[in-house]
Amino acid sequence: GGLLDQLHWACQIADLSDVDLFITDADSGRFLDCSRSAHERLGYSRAELLGMGAEQIQADPDHDADWLKQQLQLLKAEKQGSFTTRHRCKQGNVLDVLVNHSVEELNGRTVIISAVIDRTQQRSRELELERQLHLVAEGEAIHGFGSWRHVLISESMVWSAQMHRICGTDPTNFEPSFEAYTSLVHAEDRATWRSLYHRALQRGEPLETRHRLVLPTGELRHVYLCGQVDCDDEGVPLRMNGTIADVSTGAQLQQEMRLERSRDPLTGLPNKEATLEWLDHLLLGRPYNANIAVISLDLDGFQEINDSFGSETGDLVLQRFSQLLREQLGTGALLARLGSDEFAVVIPDGIRSLGDAISRA
C-alpha cells in the first residue's frame, strides 16, 4: 500500500500528458499501478489491467514469456533506456508504442517505471507526410539541388547556378559569401543559423538545418541546407561543401500537419498536445513570482448520456458544453479538450494566489 501511494500521484500527473505510465514489478512483470490513460487506451478497466502482466499486452509474436524474462533482466541491468514494441488492446487492435523506462528501488522493492508513448496515429501521419514529401522531392530532383563551397582561408564562396536560383540572386551582380547568404536568412532564424554553422566548423560535424530565406524580391522561401567539413591532416577545417534545396511545399505540408494535430476535431478546441506546448512556451517566459491557474474539468455522468442516448447525443453535449465554457471564460484564458469528457482551462493572468484560482474555478 505504501509503495502504491507513493506512485499514485505520478500516475495522476501522467494523465495530463500524452504519456501512459505503467508501474511494473521488476521480478514478476506484473503491473502494480498505471495512469488512467494507460488502461483506457488499451480498453481495460484499471482493475483488469492491474490483474495482468506485461506479457499479456504484447502483440509481437516473439515477445513471449521467455522474451519478457530476458527483457526484465536487461532492464534491471541497464537501469534505464527505451525500446519500441507493439501492444494489443482488449478489442484486438494493435498500437505501435515507444517505451521509456527507469528502474527504481522503492521501500526495498525493485520496480520499473515505464512511460509509454502511442505512436500509432503519429506514425500514420508521418508516413502520409513522407509520401507527400517524397512527391515534392521528386519534383525538386527535376530541377536539381543547389551546391556551394565555402573556402575558409579566403572566406570566399562558390555557388552553383541552381543555388542562385533558389536564393533568388543574380550571379552577374551578386558576390557569394557567408555573410551575403546570412543576410538572406530570415531575421528570426539568423542567430540559430550562425550557431549551427559555426558549431559544425568547430566540431567538424555534418551541418543539417532548415530555415527561411527572404529573397531580394521579398518572397519567403523555406530551404533545407546541409554541409560537410573538409579538414587537413591535423584536423584544421579548410572548407565546407554542401547542398541546398527548396522545401517550401514540404514546409507548408508540415505546418498543415501541425495544425491538424493541435485541434480536437469535435469541438475545435486545442487538444492535449497543443495545450502542453502552449504551457511550455508560457512557462519559459514567465517571471519567477508570476502565477498561472490550471483548472481540470470533467462531466459527471457523461458515460450515462452516451449509454442512454447514444454517442451522437454525447457529442452534442460536449460541443454545447465547450461553447458554454468559452462564453463564461471570455478572452485571456485557454480552453482545451484533453480527451473524452475532460477539459482544461489555463488562466495566465490575474492569479495572485491559490484563492484566486479556486475562485475562478
Side-chain angles (χ1 to χ4, degrees):
L3 175 65
L4 299 186
D5 289 341
Q6 293 181 49
L7 300 174
H8 186 63
W9 176 246
C11 292
Q12 290 182 316
I13 294 296
D15 283 325
L16 295 176
S17 71
D18 278 333
V19 176
D20 299 334
L21 194 66
F22 291 84
I23 312 297
T24 310
D25 183 89
D27 296 318
S28 66
R30 304 293 294 181
F31 294 128
L32 301 176
D33 204 348
C34 66
S35 61
R36 182 168 67 173
S37 63
H39 67 77
E40 287 183 348
R41 197 183 305 272
L42 291 170
Y44 293 99
S45 69
R46 183 173 181 275
E48 286 176 325
L49 192 63
L50 296 187
M52 300 166 60
E55 177 190 352
Q56 294 170 266
I57 65 171
Q58 295 299 318
D60 287 330
D62 295 337
H63 292 183
D64 53 13
D66 290 336
W67 174 87
L68 178 62
K69 184 178 180 180
Q70 294 174 358
Q71 192 71 13
L72 290 174
Q73 293 175 347
L74 184 63
L75 295 183
K76 286 190 287 185
E78 294 181 345
K79 299 300 182 183
Q80 60 182 7
S82 63
F83 61 90
T84 58
T85 185
R86 296 190 299 165
H87 286 170
R88 188 177 303 280
C89 301
K90 184 177 181 179
Q91 297 80 2
N93 54 307
V94 174
L95 305 177
D96 290 304
V97 298
L98 171 66
V99 181
N100 297 300
H101 67 267
S102 176
V103 179
E104 304 291 342
E105 296 290 337
L106 297 176
N107 293 349
R109 189 174 191 175
T110 305
V111 300
I112 299 171
I113 302 176
S114 302
V116 178
I117 301 173
D118 180 11
R119 300 179 67 250
T120 308
Q121 293 184 349
Q122 176 188 351
R123 183 56 183 158
S124 176
R125 290 168 179 164
E126 287 174 352
L127 290 174
E128 175 61 19
L129 179 58
E130 288 173 4
R131 187 184 71 82
Q132 295 285 350
L133 292 178
H134 181 68
L135 295 176
V136 173
E138 288 182 345
E140 291 170 350
I142 295 173
H143 302 285
F145 285 83
S147 60
W148 53 273
R149 170 177 289 183
H150 183 195
V151 182
L152 302 177
I153 192 170
S154 63
E155 286 299 326
S156 62
M157 288 191 78
V158 179
W159 291 6
S160 69
Q162 182 66 13
M163 174 87 171
H164 278 285
R165 281 193 286 271
I166 290 174
C167 294
T169 54
D170 184 350
T172 62
N173 57 27
F174 183 87
E175 184 66 29
S177 69
F178 177 78
E179 290 301 328
Y181 179 81
T182 301
S183 69
L184 297 173
V185 177
H186 193 288
E188 295 178 0
D189 300 343
R190 202 169 291 160
T192 302
W193 152 250
R194 284 185 182 275
S195 174
L196 290 174
Y197 193 87
H198 290 308
R199 186 175 70 178
L201 285 177
Q202 292 167 0
R203 300 182 180 180
E205 297 175 346
L207 171 68
E208 187 174 351
T209 174
R210 292 176 184 263
H211 51 260
R212 295 166 292 175
L213 298 180
V214 181
L215 307 192
T217 60
E219 177 188 350
L220 185 67
R221 182 164 291 173
H222 293 258
V223 298
Y224 169 71
L225 183 143
C226 59
Q228 181 67 51
V229 182
D230 284 342
C231 300
D232 62 17
D233 294 339
E234 296 180 354
V236 178
L238 298 176
R239 67 187 68 86
M240 176 89 81
N241 302 312
T243 60
I244 188 173
D246 179 3
V247 293
S248 300
T249 305
Q252 182 180 353
L253 286 171
Q254 289 176 320
Q255 178 65 17
E256 291 173 357
M257 292 289 288
R258 280 195 293 269
L259 290 174
E260 188 273 334
R261 285 198 300 265
S262 69
R263 289 286 166 185
D264 169 48
L266 179 64
T267 63
L269 296 174
N271 61 16
K272 186 185 297 183
E273 179 181 350
T275 304
L276 291 173
E277 289 180 0
W278 190 77
L279 275 172
D280 284 339
H281 177 75
L282 180 66
L283 293 174
L284 281 174
R286 204 78 178 166
Y288 177 75
N289 290 324
N291 298 318
I292 64 173
V294 181
I295 302 172
S296 177
L297 305 171
D298 63 63
L299 290 174
D300 291 344
F302 178 71
Q303 188 58 46
E304 297 176 12
I305 295 175
N306 277 337
D307 293 342
S308 300
F309 304 104
S311 60
E312 291 184 0
T313 300
D315 288 346
L316 291 175
V317 171
L318 292 173
Q319 290 171 334
R320 180 60 178 149
F321 180 61
S322 63
Q323 180 183 349
L324 289 171
L325 281 176
R326 275 194 293 254
E327 293 171 357
Q328 289 289 325
L329 287 169
T331 59
L334 174 76
L335 171 64
R337 184 186 178 205
L338 302 182
S340 186
D341 63 336
E342 299 170 3
F343 293 80
V345 174
V346 181
I347 304 173
D349 299 310
I351 303 298
R352 298 179 302 275
S353 65
L354 178 61
D356 288 340
I358 294 174
S359 177
R360 291 299 299 272

